[in-house]
Amino acid sequence: MAFYMDSRTPNAAARKGSIQPGRETPDHDGTYGERGELGPPTRVREARALSDNRVTFSPRGASLANLNGPPGSFSSTLKTINVPRYTSFTSDNGTYANPDDGQYGDGKSSEQRQAEFKEKINKELKIKVGSENLLEALLAKNSRQTKEQRQKVEDQLSLSNDKIASLRLQLKEEIERSERSKRPVTPNKIQQPSFYRGSPLRSPAQIEEDGNLNNSEHDLDTESPTYVLADILQDLEVESMQPDYYVGRANTLVELFKRYPTLKYDLAWRIFGLRMQIMLLSESREVVAAGYRVIRHSIADRNSLQTIRGLHTDALVILSLVKDSKATIEREQALKFVRAFLDVKGGVKELSVAVVRMVVSVAEHFEDRLRNMALLTLTEILVKDPSLLAAAGGMASLADVLGEGSYAGSDSVVSAFLRIIDSPLLRTLLASGRELEGAFAAFTDPVATHGREERLKVNARSIASILNSWPGIFMVAKDGFSTLRSLLLSLAHPTSIARDLVLDLLFDVLHIKPPSWTSSFLAGRRLTTYGRVTNLRADPLENRSRIDSEDDLERASLVDHYKTLVLAALVHCGLLKALSDVIALAIDISQKRKATLLLGEVLKLANYVLPSSISLALQVFPSLMGSAVQDDSKDHLISTSMIYQIDSLNRTLYRSGISKGPTNSFSEATSIPKPTDTGKAKIDMDELQLRNLINESQVNATLTYVKWKWDIILEIIEGPMLNPKRLEDTLKSTKFLKRLEGFYRPFKYRFANAKNTKPNQRYVRIGCAFLKSLMQTQEGVVYLSESKLLRQLAECLAQLDPSSGLTSPDPLFAPHRVSETLTAGYFTLLGTLSGDPQGLTMIGRWRMINIFYHIIDLKNRDDLVQLLLGNMELSLDSHLRVMLSKALTSCSKTTRIFSTKLLRKYATRDSSNNAPQRNPSNTAYWAIRLLVTQLYDPEVEVSEVAVQILQEACNRKQYLEYVVRCRPALDHLGEIGAPLLLRFLSTSLGYQYLDGLDYITQEMDDWFLGRNEKYVTLVEASLSKALSHESHRPQSIVDEAMPHQEYGVVPPHFYRELTRTSEGCGLLRASGHFENFTSTIQAHWSEKQDYEVMLKVKGCLWAVGNIGSMDLGTPFLEESNIITWIVKIAEQSEVISLRGTSFFVLGLISRSLHGMEILAEHGWDAATDSMGQSLGYCLPASLKKLLTIPGLKPTEDILHRRLTAQKIEATSEDTDPIQSRVLSLVVDLGNTVLTNRAAAELRGIKAKHPGTFSSVSLFKRIMVILQSHTYRLLVRRFVMEMFDKGVMRQIVLDENSDDEDDEEPQATARPNLAL
């Protein structure tokens, strides 16, 4: 339905409603948000006030809900004056009378008085808070010295409380008075809709007539938006009103569009557009800004954008953006209006080159407050329409931003450029192909790096984004890796901050996670004393080298394969020599050590991931060994020291890698350190040495546990206390064990009251070690059984059991104590006992098992249930397993998820690690049975966790077969259970099970017809997320043990699982799918335009790679000779992402022995372990073959040619010599040498011939010149200010002028304005 002015009823047409002029409420950052309203900085009273009876009404927008964010919304740091939202109008015949007005004699309304009361209350509340903080600080000091001050603060606090109470009472009375005053005193008159109340443009007679005509009450929900819109548009016809008048109605119009989103689809643009044009031509900046805001919210689709551009908005936007900083609000709304084009599908195609060039000028003006907003707009245009930005000259602006390092969003600029580089067609839009090298320039210039630490950090992030992407590594490989070499050479610069950032950057791009003892090592401490490296977790790379053969492919890391390529490129550019120079020449000791650590990690990484042909030459380190063996060499001492430090670090890293152990369930910090060889040697310590250690620990000297030396206590516990003789002597002759045991007693409230902080976690660690040591000897078991520790702990736990009859006003395990103190550590101590049969006996002796059952039944204490289950050791068959089974089925959803995650460490336990008194296989089978039960949980989240754990357990063949024997039903889980069903295909037993369900043929058809393409999207998204370091921090030790999703790892593939068995290979050969894959690759390997075809080729490549990664799948490769074509794609394809896919596929193929041999014939070498088995990381013999792309040859864009033609036409000789000279001078303004002379001559022409700059045709030609050349913002502003203001009005409103050229049709002039 179209809303025309003449479509209203007579009554509606007579009602010329008025909206109270509002203001836009600034957001928290000072900008005009979308929920607020626009308004001028000064408040103007309405011109037509009719009486002194003041009636206050809220604006209509107060009841309109803000539905969806408007298109193109953006927050900047612009500031404006905060003015009241509500205004008041006077009227002789208002709907309501306010008998209380003037009661106070101050002329203020009730709302104003309420606001004053609230402001006073807020002020007193701040005084109260400050007094309380000051009083708290004074109480912590000496009471004698601060007694007088405390008394003053207490008096002030009491006074503030009294004032607050009094003000709140007055506010309450004022609110009640206001409510009473709103009772209608003229019941014969009906309340009008708020859109029409109190209009200053209507006479009392009109108001009386409207009141008689309306016989029912109206409100916003019942008013027709058609009438409201028509009435507002009619109000906007009124001329010569104050800015408040127009801004108020514009704000109401915006809120109307928000409340009725479909209204914008039926606008009568002939009327609506004319009103908006008038607003945009206003002299008031606030009115113009409000006009832009209304038009932005009226955008519906691309057709509406075309209609809006027909209103000559391009010229208006350019005129607004060219203004100075005084018009900040107008310029901001104009740029938001331009950004709204990007939020509409296909809207970027409606942006003209002239407008984009204007945005480029704003982005190039460093001091402009809208610069960041303009840069973001250009970045989005680069992604959606690169040819448009190239025609507008915006590529160079974004490239300069990367070099400056001042734009915080440089990562998004890098990502946009990388997308352009990937496509051969879009790549031609780049002027030089070196746009990304600006980020490296800051590090290569030692003078520019001084005092630019923050900008260097931004550049370092940009370089990391470049090197962590396929297009980026291809760009830095140009010209013999000149860019990468310059970055490594910057390590020789004397600037310390730049060298430190480059070292951190190398850690980042090589994905080397520094060990936890790095800070201690960089500080110069001994690693044997600090860090306890023998108890650290192993590096993931080292773990992968020791995984079972059944799950090595599932752990195939694409990130590690990409890391191999980056490392090979860095080594090729001289990484080792650059690090050696830093170690030898750097003055900063910390940087020397950091470079040494990086060098050791690089050598270790190279030995693991690089082919032997490269890594063996690196390990020899000829540059150091040569000078180290020569005693007379001046570098002998330096080289020898470096070799010693690198060797020491390697031994430390090796120790930290092989000592990976199970993590405790309370927290990572409470993991029990394993006794080292040194500790075992101290078991046989003599009595004198033991007595000296006990005395040195200060346990016997004082009861204050903070004065005890806990490192010595731990040394005693892990050493002499394991000797029964020394334990007996200690019990008889000293109070050491008694005091230590007393420290942990609950009723002593020493351990229980300690704050739950990271340093205090050592008390939990040492307590676990203490109990574990006592359990090793019979004397310790007897002592622990007879001690008061377990008895008191059982009594405290009984307070949680409703059936025990024991209560306490402040229970030990109250929620606040569990979260704030070390009380939760008692469950960790009990968990240590639960791992030993004798410990379980002690727990049962004090009937704690019964209490545990009752804790599981507590409905409001999930924290205790999770603490209990998470810390218990379930390897032994005991009541604890029954409790876990109960929790898996009867507790809350969060507890069920937590309990399911606990099963992971038992279901994936290594069966070869046969610990005493335990059978890992039986434990794993027990956990698997429970996990299969969890598949049928009513909550999908629980089932999803169970599927993930079962997938990991299925990495071991014996566990996979056991899961198949359990015959789980996964149909109800849909896509969630699909990966687990895929794993069943890897064994003959699972194949037969799935074949009986008719699963295999259906899944094969599904993958062949579309799932291969979806697999490509999944892999690329996973790899992108892994390379961008978007990792999720675990919330607890359980989440850390079981990550939600492992990014950068090859996902399960149907054809890979199918090829694991001979039955599957037979089905694959019979289906003919492999032949279809190979034919598709051979037919379309050189495709570079059709995205759908390239996606299909990628899907076929991944399918072939997964098939070829299995030993049973290599015959398919040999028969088809497909590897030759894959190598050809990797080395010759013009699409970089297609090359990357081929690179990873070749890595998969190299995992099979036969595939590795075929690749060797094609010049690709694979990395192997010490047993000769391939690790899946292969590289070509020459990196140049892989990383060389055809040279960038920019082509002249069609649009650019059209603009050139227009420019020639615009600057051609004119019949008027003065206009011809003006056009020539405007062109000269683009030349920095001629700018001043041209500007002076233009001023002279305007002084002598003022009518020249009133010509519409001249203005249009100059607009063409401005869009065809690159001009600075100040020059554009100078040119636009030369013309009379009436020129723009003539263009926008199509008014006739005296200019003879104006007689030409609008269709001819239109392309020059809306390009």
Side-chain angles (χ1 to χ4, degrees), residues 781-799:
V781 172
V782 174
Y783 173 76
L784 187 60
S785 301
E786 296 176 353
S787 67
K788 297 180 181 180
L789 174 63
L790 297 180
R791 182 175 60 189
Q792 293 182 5
L793 187 56
E795 184 176 346
C796 294
L797 287 173
Q799 297 172 2

Short mmCIF file of all heavy atoms in Angstrom, two decimals, residues 781-799:
data_model
loop_
_atom_site.label_atom_id
_atom_site.label_comp_id
_atom_site.label_asym_id
_atom_site.label_seq_id
_atom_site.Cartn_x
_atom_site.Cartn_y
_atom_site.Cartn_z
N VAL A 781 50.36 -46.39 57.38
CA VAL A 781 48.94 -46.75 57.31
C VAL A 781 48.33 -46.79 58.70
O VAL A 781 47.22 -46.29 58.92
CB VAL A 781 48.78 -48.09 56.58
CG1 VAL A 781 47.33 -48.56 56.67
CG2 VAL A 781 49.22 -47.98 55.12
N VAL A 782 49.08 -47.36 59.64
CA VAL A 782 48.57 -47.43 61.01
C VAL A 782 48.41 -46.04 61.60
O VAL A 782 47.40 -45.71 62.23
CB VAL A 782 49.52 -48.29 61.87
CG1 VAL A 782 49.10 -48.25 63.34
CG2 VAL A 782 49.56 -49.72 61.36
N TYR A 783 49.41 -45.20 61.39
CA TYR A 783 49.36 -43.85 61.94
C TYR A 783 48.18 -43.07 61.34
O TYR A 783 47.45 -42.38 62.06
CB TYR A 783 50.67 -43.12 61.65
CG TYR A 783 50.65 -41.66 62.02
CD1 TYR A 783 50.76 -41.26 63.35
CD2 TYR A 783 50.50 -40.67 61.05
CE1 TYR A 783 50.73 -39.92 63.70
CE2 TYR A 783 50.47 -39.33 61.38
CZ TYR A 783 50.59 -38.97 62.72
OH TYR A 783 50.56 -37.64 63.07
N LEU A 784 47.98 -43.18 60.04
CA LEU A 784 46.90 -42.45 59.39
C LEU A 784 45.54 -42.98 59.83
O LEU A 784 44.59 -42.20 59.99
CB LEU A 784 47.06 -42.56 57.87
CG LEU A 784 46.11 -41.73 57.01
CD1 LEU A 784 46.28 -40.24 57.32
CD2 LEU A 784 46.38 -41.97 55.52
N SER A 785 45.43 -44.28 60.06
CA SER A 785 44.14 -44.86 60.47
C SER A 785 43.75 -44.37 61.86
O SER A 785 42.55 -44.20 62.15
CB SER A 785 44.22 -46.38 60.46
OG SER A 785 44.54 -46.86 59.18
N GLU A 786 44.74 -44.16 62.72
CA GLU A 786 44.46 -43.76 64.11
C GLU A 786 44.45 -42.26 64.30
O GLU A 786 44.16 -41.79 65.40
CB GLU A 786 45.50 -44.39 65.03
CG GLU A 786 45.46 -45.91 65.04
CD GLU A 786 46.57 -46.51 65.89
OE1 GLU A 786 47.43 -45.72 66.36
OE2 GLU A 786 46.57 -47.72 66.10
N SER A 787 44.79 -41.50 63.28
CA SER A 787 44.83 -40.05 63.43
C SER A 787 43.42 -39.47 63.43
O SER A 787 42.45 -40.13 63.05
CB SER A 787 45.65 -39.42 62.29
OG SER A 787 44.98 -39.60 61.07
N LYS A 788 43.34 -38.20 63.86
CA LYS A 788 42.05 -37.53 63.93
C LYS A 788 41.65 -36.89 62.59
O LYS A 788 40.54 -36.37 62.48
CB LYS A 788 42.10 -36.43 65.00
CG LYS A 788 42.34 -36.95 66.40
CD LYS A 788 42.38 -35.79 67.39
CE LYS A 788 42.64 -36.28 68.81
NZ LYS A 788 42.68 -35.17 69.78
N LEU A 789 42.55 -36.92 61.61
CA LEU A 789 42.27 -36.24 60.35
C LEU A 789 41.03 -36.81 59.67
O LEU A 789 40.09 -36.08 59.34
CB LEU A 789 43.49 -36.35 59.44
CG LEU A 789 43.31 -35.82 58.01
CD1 LEU A 789 43.01 -34.33 58.02
CD2 LEU A 789 44.56 -36.10 57.17
N LEU A 790 40.99 -38.14 59.46
CA LEU A 790 39.88 -38.75 58.75
C LEU A 790 38.60 -38.72 59.59
O LEU A 790 37.50 -38.56 59.05
CB LEU A 790 40.23 -40.18 58.35
CG LEU A 790 41.41 -40.33 57.38
CD1 LEU A 790 41.64 -41.80 57.07
CD2 LEU A 790 41.15 -39.55 56.11
N ARG A 791 38.74 -38.86 60.89
CA ARG A 791 37.56 -38.85 61.74
C ARG A 791 36.88 -37.48 61.71
O ARG A 791 35.65 -37.39 61.59
CB ARG A 791 37.97 -39.21 63.16
CG ARG A 791 36.78 -39.28 64.13
CD ARG A 791 37.22 -39.77 65.50
NE ARG A 791 38.22 -38.88 66.07
CZ ARG A 791 38.91 -39.16 67.17
NH1 ARG A 791 38.74 -40.31 67.80
NH2 ARG A 791 39.79 -38.30 67.65
N GLN A 792 37.66 -36.41 61.84
CA GLN A 792 37.08 -35.08 61.79
C GLN A 792 36.53 -34.76 60.40
O GLN A 792 35.49 -34.10 60.26
CB GLN A 792 38.13 -34.04 62.18
CG GLN A 792 38.57 -34.13 63.64
CD GLN A 792 39.56 -33.05 64.02
OE1 GLN A 792 39.86 -32.17 63.23
NE2 GLN A 792 40.09 -33.13 65.24
N LEU A 793 37.22 -35.23 59.38
CA LEU A 793 36.74 -35.00 58.03
C LEU A 793 35.41 -35.70 57.79
O LEU A 793 34.50 -35.16 57.15
CB LEU A 793 37.79 -35.47 57.02
CG LEU A 793 37.53 -35.15 55.55
CD1 LEU A 793 37.34 -33.66 55.35
CD2 LEU A 793 38.69 -35.64 54.69
N ALA A 794 35.27 -36.91 58.33
CA ALA A 794 34.00 -37.63 58.21
C ALA A 794 32.89 -36.90 58.95
O ALA A 794 31.74 -36.84 58.47
CB ALA A 794 34.16 -39.04 58.75
N GLU A 795 33.21 -36.31 60.09
CA GLU A 795 32.20 -35.58 60.84
C GLU A 795 31.74 -34.34 60.08
O GLU A 795 30.55 -34.01 60.06
CB GLU A 795 32.77 -35.18 62.20
CG GLU A 795 31.75 -34.50 63.10
CD GLU A 795 32.31 -34.20 64.48
OE1 GLU A 795 33.39 -34.76 64.82
OE2 GLU A 795 31.70 -33.41 65.22
N CYS A 796 32.68 -33.64 59.42
CA CYS A 796 32.31 -32.46 58.62
C CYS A 796 31.48 -32.84 57.41
O CYS A 796 30.54 -32.13 57.04
CB CYS A 796 33.57 -31.71 58.20
SG CYS A 796 34.48 -30.96 59.57
N LEU A 797 31.80 -33.97 56.80
CA LEU A 797 31.01 -34.42 55.66
C LEU A 797 29.62 -34.83 56.10
O LEU A 797 28.65 -34.69 55.34
CB LEU A 797 31.72 -35.58 54.96
CG LEU A 797 32.97 -35.23 54.15
CD1 LEU A 797 33.66 -36.51 53.69
CD2 LEU A 797 32.62 -34.37 52.96
N ALA A 798 29.51 -35.36 57.30
CA ALA A 798 28.20 -35.79 57.79
C ALA A 798 27.25 -34.61 57.96
O ALA A 798 26.03 -34.80 57.96
CB ALA A 798 28.37 -36.53 59.11
N GLN A 799 27.79 -33.40 58.09
CA GLN A 799 26.93 -32.22 58.19
C GLN A 799 26.14 -31.98 56.90
O GLN A 799 25.13 -31.29 56.91
CB GLN A 799 27.77 -30.99 58.52
CG GLN A 799 28.47 -31.07 59.88
CD GLN A 799 29.44 -29.93 60.10
OE1 GLN A 799 29.58 -29.05 59.26
NE2 GLN A 799 30.12 -29.94 61.23
#
